[in-house]
Amino acid sequence: MLRWPPVADHGLIGDLRTAALVTSEGVLDWFCTPRFDSPSMFAGLLDHDRGGHFAITAQTSGATTRQLYLADTAILVTRLMTADGVGEVIDFMPLGEAEAPADRHRIVRVMRVTRGTVGFRLACRPRFDYGRAGHNLVLERGMAYFRGPDQTACLQVVGPMTLERDGQDVRADVVLRQDERAAAVLTVCDGPPGPLAPLTEEGIQRELRSTYDYWHRWLHRSRYRGRWQQPVNRSAITLKLMTYAPTGAPVAAVTAGLPEQLGGERNWDYRYTWVRDAALSVKALLDLGFEAEADAFRRWLGARIPAGPTVTGEPLQVMYRVDGDPHLAEEVLGHLEGYGGSAPVRIGNGAAGQLQLDIYGEVVFALTHAPDVAQLAGYDGWQHLRALLDWLAHAWDRPDEGIWETRGGRKDFTLSRVMCWVAFDRGIRLAAQVARPADVAGWTAARDAIFDQVMDRGYSTRRGAFVQHYGAEVLDSALLLMPSVGFLSPKDHRWLSTLDAMERELVSDSLVHRYDPAASPDGLRGSEGTFSLCSFLYVEALARAGRLGLARYAFDKMLTYANHVGLFAEEIGPTGEQLGNFPQAFTHLALINAALALDEELDRSGT
């Protein structure tokens, strides 16, 4: 078992409330419960010794492993190829009633042999509350109960397997011949568990079939028929897995603390709902045909406007918990060594208290991007949106921390102004479209003032490019959003010269850096890899600019950086390794948008 498996060496399973990561060796080393943003039960990804894991691996050393998904599902298969045969571990989380809160979560791990004979080894070592809380083990009637302070996990097995005590953990060995099966099911309950139904092989197979059918029915709703079917489908399933079904709120990633630079301090907790990331998902979801998911998130987002005080005192804040709770106090888990020794390990996120004015544009963009926008403009909803824009008309012209959540002080970030322009532009359009009362004159004045200010102060004639913030000469790939939100034409000469400048300074073999921290200090030590979101935004910008050959080549090269099952982390390192939290929703959203834009432009050009 690798002490530090590569970040990319994982597949993702989930039940639309939480998720788990499984390495290609068969080690489940990340699982938080009962929600994405809850404390971990398995966090071996952050500390091999203290974090805990649930492993089903080959008994013999030297086994060759391969991992894949059953096509168009979230059912993960890890294949173990040994000298004596070929075995598989099939991992999935059964799906219950997605709209109702669940008091228990289940991880099903099925072992089977397809050729010859294979020995499997099971080790279940839970570590509650990020490894801070102990537990007691009770072995009873062939079941193992791990009793923590607030939760109980029960491991049941079916087939020729007997659980043995290993301190307060359990282990088991089983040897299976061709066509034989065994299974282990971990059920996690808040508090003491109620009665658990006995396991049968037939019952597990029914759950497997039900989960398989669910994902095929869900993906059948997609309208995408373009050139990149497989990566788009995998990205859509990944985004669905990362959405908390009871509220419709997606998390930015399922992990916390994975470093942007090995050994560095840029280790953040991404298990929350960023208003920006999630709002920009609406267009991609709608364009793929997933209207129910887009509507659910819009309802969650619309409820944040009148929800009451935020930690910043502003009408909205950068991120929330999946249930809308604005409190995300940041703390350091000093007892965990961090992935590859990358400390500190942080949970919570102090950036929730930052001022990032761009979120108002993204909120209005999301709320107004709908096939039947009039339905969303009911009286109460309109009153809240109207009040927000009236407030923003007097509040937009302030320095802030910007989209990248830098900790180097507030500045007049160009993209923050652009997105405030988007807020007024979409609000004005909506007021006219649905004939609602509004201070259109005031909003128009604010919109036009922002436009003039950005063109005057956000563009450097010396660089021939739009810059990160006023008074600077630093480039910022976040500005790749400018044409996609309609601030400028994608073929405007100022924009094309900006694109050229980014290509010279921020792009390396189709991979795009966010900015240069050396030129624009962000208050943090160390460096980072290229940002995969920006790499896909670059593809979209190239496509819309008519540079289709470059766009297609850049897109196809980006796809080579996906992991073995099509997943992307936040960043790509100098030698192609994936860095940062995993998988990253923003990356997969940008992949979808880039594919849609490239398909559209290629079809238009007849190529």
Side-chain angles (χ1 to χ4, degrees), residues 17-19 32 35-38 241-244 251 254 271:
R17 294 177 183 82
T18 186
C32 298
R35 304 188 324 197
F36 297 106
D37 55 2
S38 299
L241 280 171
M242 295 169 64
T243 299
Y244 185 64
V251 294
V254 303
R271 299 169 301 150

Side-chain angles (χ1 to χ4, degrees), residues 1 26-28 42 52-57 109 120-126 146 155 161 163-164 166 169-173 184:
M1 185 187 304
V27 181
L28 193 155
F42 300 114
H53 61 260
F54 179 12
I56 299 180
T57 57
R109 312 199 71 187
F120 296 86
R121 175 157 294 154
L122 178 151
C124 189
R125 305 178 183 278
F146 306 95
L155 183 64
M161 179 183 296
L163 296 174
E164 300 177 2
D166 182 12
D169 305 320
V170 295
R171 63 188 178 192
D173 285 342

Side-chain angles (χ1 to χ4, degrees), residues 388-410:
L388 182 70
L389 288 172
D390 286 344
W391 170 86
L392 188 62
H394 302 284
W396 63 267
D397 196 7
R398 293 177 289 165
D400 69 345
E401 272 92 1
I403 184 174
W404 301 130
E405 299 169 2
T406 60
R407 302 193 178 192
R410 294 181 177 179

Side-chain angles (χ1 to χ4, degrees), residues 148 187 351 511 561:
T187 303
L511 299 173
Y561 290 104

Side-chain angles (χ1 to χ4, degrees), residues 20-166:
L21 296 178
V22 183
T23 74
S24 65
E25 280 189 295
V27 181
L28 193 155
D29 60 5
W30 183 259
F31 176 57
C32 298
T33 180
R35 304 188 324 197
F36 297 106
D37 55 2
S38 299
S40 65
M41 176 173 293
F42 300 114
L45 189 57
L46 295 179
D47 193 308
H48 182 272
D49 298 323
R50 302 179 186 88
H53 61 260
F54 179 12
I56 299 180
T57 57
Q59 288 181 18
T60 57
S61 61
T64 299
T65 62
R66 296 288 187 270
Q67 200 171 55
L68 69 153
Y69 281 109
L70 294 185
D72 293 338
T73 76
I75 299 170
L76 189 67
V77 181
T78 303
R79 309 200 76 208
L80 310 174
M81 303 173 191
T82 73
D84 298 317
V86 178
E88 294 180 340
V89 181
I90 302 171
D91 289 312
F92 67 100
M93 295 182 70
L95 297 169
E97 294 294 329
E99 295 78 14
D103 63 353
R104 60 182 61 183
H105 301 269
R106 302 178 70 219
I107 295 173
V108 180
R109 312 199 71 187
V110 179
M111 292 154 273
R112 71 179 183 184
V113 172
T114 59
R115 298 182 69 183
T117 300
V118 176
F120 296 86
R121 175 157 294 154
L122 178 151
C124 189
R125 305 178 183 278
R127 298 294 182 265
F128 294 88
D129 190 24
Y130 306 109
R132 294 182 294 192
H135 67 273
N136 294 316
L137 171 66
V138 176
L139 279 174
E140 184 178 281
R141 296 188 302 277
M143 295 188 288
Y145 292 90
F146 306 95
R147 293 176 175 165
D150 301 311
Q151 294 176 317
T152 300
C154 178
L155 183 64
Q156 300 170 274
V157 296
V158 63
M161 179 183 296
T162 302
L163 296 174
E164 300 177 2
R165 179 182 287 272
D166 182 12

Side-chain angles (χ1 to χ4, degrees), residues 35 70 78 115 123 146 180 188 192 245 256 274 358-359 369 390 398 405 410 452-453 489 496 514 537 574 579:
R35 304 188 324 197
L70 294 185
T78 303
R115 298 182 69 183
F146 306 95
E180 290 184 335
V188 185
W274 265 252
D358 68 286
I359 64 173
H369 193 86
D390 286 344
R398 293 177 289 165
E405 299 169 2
R410 294 181 177 179
D452 288 340
Q453 187 188 88
S489 162
L496 293 178
R514 295 192 291 181
L537 291 179
L579 298 171

Side-chain angles (χ1 to χ4, degrees), residues 132 267-268 329-336 343-348:
R132 294 182 294 192
N267 317 316
W268 313 112
E330 186 172 296
E331 62 177 303
V332 170
L333 300 179
H335 65 289
L336 298 181
V345 174
R346 297 181 179 92
I347 57 171

